[in-house]
Amino acid sequence: MKKTDRFILLCLLFAFFCIGGTLAGHAEPDSLTHHPIHHQIGFDIRPGYVLPTKSFFEGENAQGKPINTVLSAHLKYAFRFDKDSYLGKLYPHAYQGIGIAYTSFFNPSELGNPVSVYVFQGSQIARLTPHLTLDYEWNFGASFGWKKYNETSNPYNDVVGSKINAYLNAGIYLNWQLAPQWHLTAGIETTHYSNGNSNYPNSGVNTVGGRIGLVRTFGAEKTNPKTHPQEKALLQGSPFSYDIILYGATRRRGIIWPDERYLVPGSFGVIGFNFNPLYRVNRYFRAGISLDAQYDESANLKNHVAGTEHDTNQKQFYRPSFREQFAVGLSLRAELTMPIFSINLGIGRNLIYKGEDTKGFYQILALKTFVTRRVFLHVGYQLSNFHDPNNLMLGLGYRF
């Protein structure tokens, strides 16, 4: 296993251990209990269509056939908070838990049959009838067992560069209560697999499809009130919060030199800092701005080509100045706030920079997992100019 694969695995395992140890410890006032009481086990079947983002999926592979079908089976455990607890009163419909999935693309020799381990969360969007609701759910974790690109044994696979890849999934579905403690679910979803630009190739695998599942709940079915008269009282205090985040990662860098694409050998370090003030609009939503600073060891290498090694034909580079590899920007942030987890979205632009690689807009998608009331794990991904993969953002945060 390469260093980049081990790095991703260790970070994700760290996140899972922390989540497992603190699922019931999302920090809220101690005077109100928030132990999970409403447990459930679910099983999903998810057929889907593989988006043909590369010629490999269209038939330029060892089988000579399109790869356009995916099928996965999921086993999931989840819980809801006690309806009389702090979190149960604020988020009566929210559930969260841990799942495992087995996936087949019907081409095991070139893609493998990955197994995904993930955390997930969902909640109700709207109640349509007394026994039918429209819900959403997201999944985030790691997928293992991929067959990655190899120039001799797997040369056609130019989409997967790691044995371990991140797994991201989101969907909406109908939730029908068949009988007391039994629910049937059906809906649509989209999935993305990627190594976060930590290895090459990193085109990723994208699918869209459907899902159908059966959920068995344990314990008394709790009543979910339509109104929450205690919300204003529970949310007393300043609506402002301030998040400080430190993160790091490794990444690969490709350049165009002089007119051809070239992959720079080795991995490069990334270190970053965010200061993110947020205003609480309501219990579900926060918004604000963020001051973002990042040092990227691979930035603007193409301006410092030193020559080519005669034996290996590899390019050599001078080290760019710190000024060329450091950038500071401002971003607009929106955050979905739920028990334990918050999903943060950002669109920003570097204002202090030097060089083409740090010029322009960047986009951020991050998951915050609260280990205590103040401390959270931060797992994010940054894009450049709305389409180019940039780097992972794996770190810790503190909320004032």
Side-chain angles (χ1 to χ4, degrees), residues 329-341:
L330 286 176
S331 59
L332 298 175
R333 298 295 184 98
E335 187 165 298
L336 173 66
T337 302
M338 295 293 284
I340 304 173
F341 304 106

Side-chain angles (χ1 to χ4, degrees), residues 251-384:
R251 63 162 300 172
R252 301 298 303 273
R253 169 67 71 173
I255 64 172
I256 300 177
W257 193 89
D259 297 314
E260 296 183 0
R261 293 185 179 274
Y262 176 78
L263 180 67
V264 180
S267 297
F268 300 89
V270 176
I271 299 175
F273 166 84
N274 300 148
F275 174 60
N276 182 198
L278 291 166
Y279 175 77
R280 185 184 65 223
V281 178
N282 55 42
R283 67 185 185 276
Y284 296 115
F285 183 69
R286 294 174 184 261
I289 61 173
S290 179
L291 176 66
D292 308 317
Q294 179 169 288
Y295 172 78
D296 183 351
E297 192 180 22
S298 70
N300 294 304
L301 280 176
K302 63 184 177 183
N303 299 327
H304 299 272
V305 179
T308 304
E309 288 187 358
H310 296 292
D311 295 337
T312 63
N313 201 35
Q314 289 184 345
K315 301 290 186 299
Q316 295 179 313
F317 300 87
Y318 297 111
R319 181 180 294 275
S321 66
F322 176 83
R323 182 68 181 81
E324 292 177 273
Q325 298 187 315
F326 179 74
V328 179
L330 286 176
S331 59
L332 298 175
R333 298 295 184 98
E335 187 165 298
L336 173 66
T337 302
M338 295 293 284
I340 304 173
F341 304 106
S342 292
I343 299 175
N344 189 280
L345 300 171
I347 299 178
R349 183 180 177 87
N350 283 324
L351 303 177
I352 301 174
Y353 64 91
K354 184 177 181 181
E356 289 295 320
D357 286 348
T358 51
K359 178 181 179 181
F361 289 93
Y362 57 89
Q363 298 75 47
I364 291 171
L365 171 63
L367 175 67
K368 299 175 181 178
T369 304
F370 281 84
V371 180
T372 71
R373 183 181 182 183
R374 303 293 187 185
V375 178
F376 57 88
L377 301 174
H378 180 275
V379 181
Y381 191 60
Q382 186 180 116
L383 291 172
S384 176

Side-chain angles (χ1 to χ4, degrees), residues 13 60 77 88-89 101 107 136 166 196 206 242 264 350 366 400:
L13 287 177
E60 291 187 16
Y77 161 77
K89 291 176 180 178
N107 188 340
Y136 77 87
N206 301 286
Y242 307 88
V264 180
N350 283 324
F400 292 91

Side-chain angles (χ1 to χ4, degrees), residues 23 32 59 81 83 106 121 150 175 186 231 250 256 276 289 293 395:
L23 279 175
L32 292 169
F81 286 101
K83 66 180 180 179
F106 303 96
Q121 188 172 63
N150 184 284
N175 185 345
E231 176 183 354
T250 61
I256 300 177
N276 182 198
I289 61 173

Side-chain angles (χ1 to χ4, degrees), residues 37-56:
I37 189 173
H38 184 80
H39 304 269
Q40 64 187 52
I41 293 178
F43 179 74
D44 295 344
I45 293 293
R46 306 185 186 182
Y49 172 71
V50 181
L51 297 179
T53 53
K54 300 283 285 187
S55 58
F56 171 73

Side-chain angles (χ1 to χ4, degrees), residues 72-358:
S72 62
H74 297 246
L75 181 63
K76 305 185 296 180
Y77 161 77
F79 68 88
R80 302 173 189 264
F81 286 101
D82 185 338
K83 66 180 180 179
D84 295 321
S85 70
Y86 181 87
L87 293 175
K89 291 176 180 178
L90 279 178
Y91 308 100
H93 310 293
Y95 63 90
Q96 46 277 312
I98 298 175
I100 185 170
Y102 177 83
T103 302
S104 174
F105 294 91
F106 303 96
N107 188 340
S109 61
E110 293 180 280
L111 281 174
N113 293 319
V115 174
S116 301
V117 180
Y118 57 90
V119 295
F120 65 92
Q121 188 172 63
S123 188
Q124 182 185 119
I125 299 173
R127 180 168 291 277
L128 305 179
T129 73
H131 297 287
L132 182 67
T133 62
L134 178 65
D135 297 358
Y136 77 87
E137 183 182 297
W138 57 260
N139 306 166
F140 175 77
S143 54
F144 307 84
W146 290 87
K147 293 292 182 66
K148 67 176 185 176
Y149 167 82
N150 184 284
E151 61 182 5
T152 55
S153 61
N154 197 9
Y156 294 103
N157 180 0
D158 59 350
V159 297
V160 178
S162 301
K163 293 181 180 179
I164 303 170
N165 289 278
Y167 162 75
L168 294 87
N169 172 279
I172 58 174
Y173 64 94
L174 294 172
N175 185 345
W176 179 32
Q177 185 176 1
L178 290 171
Q181 301 185 324
W182 287 97
H183 294 255
L184 179 66
T185 64
I188 57 175
E189 63 173 21
T190 181
T191 303
H192 174 69
Y193 300 93
S194 171
N195 64 39
N197 213 27
S198 62
N199 213 335
Y200 180 85
N202 182 41
S203 298
V205 180
N206 301 286
T207 71
V208 294
R211 56 177 283 179
I212 184 168
L214 190 64
V215 178
R216 171 69 161 89
T217 63
F218 299 90
E221 293 274 10
K222 66 181 181 180
T223 301
N224 293 324
K226 294 182 179 180
T227 60
H228 312 283
Q230 295 178 319
E231 176 183 354
K232 186 175 292 186
L234 290 171
L235 292 177
Q236 284 182 347
S238 173
F240 291 97
S241 62
Y242 307 88
D243 290 357
I244 292 180
I245 300 158
L246 293 174
Y247 64 87
T250 61
R251 63 162 300 172
R252 301 298 303 273
R253 169 67 71 173
I255 64 172
I256 300 177
W257 193 89
D259 297 314
E260 296 183 0
R261 293 185 179 274
Y262 176 78
L263 180 67
V264 180
S267 297
F268 300 89
V270 176
I271 299 175
F273 166 84
N274 300 148
F275 174 60
N276 182 198
L278 291 166
Y279 175 77
R280 185 184 65 223
V281 178
N282 55 42
R283 67 185 185 276
Y284 296 115
F285 183 69
R286 294 174 184 261
I289 61 173
S290 179
L291 176 66
D292 308 317
Q294 179 169 288
Y295 172 78
D296 183 351
E297 192 180 22
S298 70
N300 294 304
L301 280 176
K302 63 184 177 183
N303 299 327
H304 299 272
V305 179
T308 304
E309 288 187 358
H310 296 292
D311 295 337
T312 63
N313 201 35
Q314 289 184 345
K315 301 290 186 299
Q316 295 179 313
F317 300 87
Y318 297 111
R319 181 180 294 275
S321 66
F322 176 83
R323 182 68 181 81
E324 292 177 273
Q325 298 187 315
F326 179 74
V328 179
L330 286 176
S331 59
L332 298 175
R333 298 295 184 98
E335 187 165 298
L336 173 66
T337 302
M338 295 293 284
I340 304 173
F341 304 106
S342 292
I343 299 175
N344 189 280
L345 300 171
I347 299 178
R349 183 180 177 87
N350 283 324
L351 303 177
I352 301 174
Y353 64 91
K354 184 177 181 181
E356 289 295 320
D357 286 348
T358 51

